[in-house]
Amino acid sequence: MRTRNIKINVYLNEEEKKMLEEKSTKTKLSQSDFIRNLIEDFKEDSLSKQDINYIADCLQESITELLKLKKNFTILAILKMKNF
């Protein structure tokens, strides 16, 4: 007995249709099963590209600041060695 009884029509352009066909064929799934797998694997808490870019920018800023700190500690160590 069929457990799925809700039909959804989706409009795609030619490029999207080709992508769906290629990706479902590559995974050896029907187009319906391919879409169901996408839905099941979706996580609301997944990061968007914008979130990832923001995190990457913050990490880059942190690295820059740590390198400045390292440089300052190196200069400080050199100055202390000269005083001895």
Side-chain angles (χ1 to χ4, degrees):
M1 187 166 146
R2 185 177 211 147
T3 59
R4 296 180 179 98
N5 57 5
I6 299 172
K7 181 178 179 180
I8 298 176
N9 293 320
V10 178
Y11 290 93
L12 303 173
N13 62 34
E14 286 298 320
E15 183 180 334
E16 293 167 336
K17 180 180 181 248
K18 185 178 176 183
M19 287 172 49
L20 177 59
E21 289 170 349
E22 289 173 355
K23 291 182 179 190
S24 63
T25 301
K26 186 176 180 179
T27 57
K28 298 181 180 171
L29 295 171
S30 69
Q31 293 176 6
S32 295
D33 286 337
F34 181 78
I35 291 170
R36 278 189 213 98
N37 281 322
L38 291 174
I39 293 167
E40 289 171 7
D41 288 344
F42 178 79
K43 294 176 178 59
E44 282 189 46
D45 61 344
S46 62
L47 295 174
S48 69
K49 196 170 197 174
Q50 184 179 4
D51 293 334
I52 293 169
N53 288 337
Y54 174 76
I55 292 168
D57 289 343
C58 289
L59 286 171
Q60 187 59 50
E61 284 181 40
S62 297
I63 290 168
T64 302
E65 293 303 314
L66 286 169
L67 289 172
K68 287 179 189 176
L69 188 60
K70 177 184 173 187
K71 182 179 177 182
N72 288 340
F73 277 131
T74 303
I75 292 170
L76 183 61
I78 291 170
L79 290 175
K80 282 190 175 187
M81 287 173 55
K82 286 183 179 181
N83 287 339
F84 283 107

